Every structure is written in C-alpha cells, then in structure tokens.
Amino acid sequence: MSKSNPKQEIFLAARKLFSHKGYHGTTIRDIAEARGILSGSLYAHISSKEDLLFYIVDEGADAFLQALTPVVLGEGTAVEKLERGLAEHIRVVTKQKDAAKVFLQEWTALGDERRALIQKKRDAYEQLWIRVLEDGASEGVFSADDLKYLRLLILSAGNWVYEWYNENGDLSPEEIAKRFSSIILHGALKKR
C-alpha cells in the first residue's frame, strides 16, 4: 500500500489489530502506532474508532454478499449451488482473513444504528442460503425437516476456516469446500 492513501492505510492497520486484539482490546493509540503517527493525527482521517469498525464490517458484509449472490441467482442445481456457495464463502474467509474475522466476531460492538444496518446485510446473506436449501428441498435432494440446521452447519463450518487455514497448506479454499460439501451431503460414515 502506498503512502499516498493514509486513510486506507489506517483501515488496514485497524483491520489487522481488530482481528488480532479484538475491537475492545485495540486502542486508538495502537492504531496510530501501527501507522507511525500520533493518536491525534488519526482524527484528521476518521471521526471515531467505531467508524473504522463499521467500514471494515461493512466491507466484509459486502464481500460475502457479492460472492454468494451470483451463485444463487445463476444456473445449476441446489447441490451445485451449495458446493459453489460454500467455496465462495471459504474463499472470502481465506483471502480476506482479517476482514472476515472482524466481520464475524466484532460486528456486535457497533452502535445500535450501524449494527442494524449490518444485521440487514447478514440477514440478506442468510436468505440467499435459505433460498438454495429450500430449492434443494423442492428438488427433493435436501430434507425439508432440517434446513435451518443444515444452513447453520454450512455457515459454521465455513466461518471458522480462518482459525486454521494455512495459505501454504495442502488444500485450496475450493478443495476445502469440496471436502466439506461431500461430508455435509454424504455424511462421514464409510460406505459399505
């Protein structure tokens, strides 16, 4: 990142610090020190620490929505959309690990009005998943009895990848999604 965009550099520093220390564990002084400036100088670029959090969380919400929307609205069966959707989810989590972690873990620290805006985006994202799963139930491939828990399982599995994913590891985000999808769709029992 070039020095020509100090505001973006502040966002990047805040994203990393919020991801590693948490929103409440990070001070304005921490962010300023990470940028090599005085705390008061930050306020030439931002109004508050919450502004930084909102920007990062909103960016994360948009990344998830932009990744899943074309999958859900595109061609394919519900099974294909589940597999592609999970791959897109994991791609966002692994390519933007700090932003994803802040989005998933710190968004509730926002004030009521901003938290409500993010909640709407989170709800929209979950609705996309509900649509895929309901389509699968209509196609007769998913049990209609467990769609809520299937959605929770998919999102829980995808959300926590940032905790253990190693970009130098054996599997790409797509390969992880393929393995997760196989277990979700076919179970863990050995075929007899």
Side-chain angles (χ1 to χ4, degrees), residues 22-64:
Y23 174 72
H24 293 297
T26 301
T27 65
I28 285 291
R29 176 177 283 163
D30 293 332
I31 298 166
E33 285 177 4
R35 290 305 317 127
I37 59 177
L38 298 173
S39 298
S41 299
L42 278 179
Y43 292 106
H45 305 285
I46 62 165
S47 298
S48 68
K49 185 171 89 165
E50 186 183 328
D51 285 350
L52 293 170
L53 179 62
F54 179 70
Y55 173 84
I56 295 162
V57 170
D58 193 48
E59 180 183 55
D62 288 343
F64 282 109

Side-chain angles (χ1 to χ4, degrees), residues 1-10 34-37 45:
M1 184 63 46
S2 73
K3 298 257 185 211
S4 63
N5 192 344
K7 191 170 188 174
Q8 187 63 26
E9 290 178 1
I10 291 166
R35 290 305 317 127
I37 59 177
H45 305 285

Side-chain angles (χ1 to χ4, degrees), residues 99-118:
K101 185 175 181 181
V102 173
F103 169 73
L104 294 167
Q105 299 293 312
E106 302 295 331
W107 75 281
T108 57
L110 291 167
D112 291 343
E113 191 173 314
R114 287 176 164 177
R115 191 170 55 246
L117 291 171
I118 298 303

Side-chain angles (χ1 to χ4, degrees), residues 67-78 80-82 84 128 131-132 135 139:
L68 185 59
T69 299
V71 171
V72 175
L73 299 180
E75 298 294 319
T77 67
E80 292 167 340
K81 289 180 180 183
L82 183 150
R84 287 195 315 262
L128 291 170
R131 180 173 171 178
V132 168
D135 287 351
E139 292 171 13

Side-chain angles (χ1 to χ4, degrees), residues 95-162:
K95 300 297 182 198
Q96 302 175 44
K97 282 169 65 171
D98 289 337
K101 185 175 181 181
V102 173
F103 169 73
L104 294 167
Q105 299 293 312
E106 302 295 331
W107 75 281
T108 57
L110 291 167
D112 291 343
E113 191 173 314
R114 287 176 164 177
R115 191 170 55 246
L117 291 171
I118 298 303
Q119 184 64 59
K120 283 182 184 179
K121 290 185 179 188
R122 292 174 71 92
D123 291 346
Y125 188 73
E126 288 198 13
Q127 284 301 315
L128 291 170
W129 278 107
I130 289 168
R131 180 173 171 178
V132 168
L133 300 179
E134 286 178 348
D135 287 351
S138 295
E139 292 171 13
V141 293
F142 301 147
S143 168
D145 297 337
D146 293 321
L147 295 181
K148 174 184 175 182
Y149 297 102
L150 179 56
R151 175 178 48 84
L152 292 171
L153 176 63
I154 290 165
L155 292 176
S156 295
N159 288 349
W160 286 97
V161 171
Y162 71 77

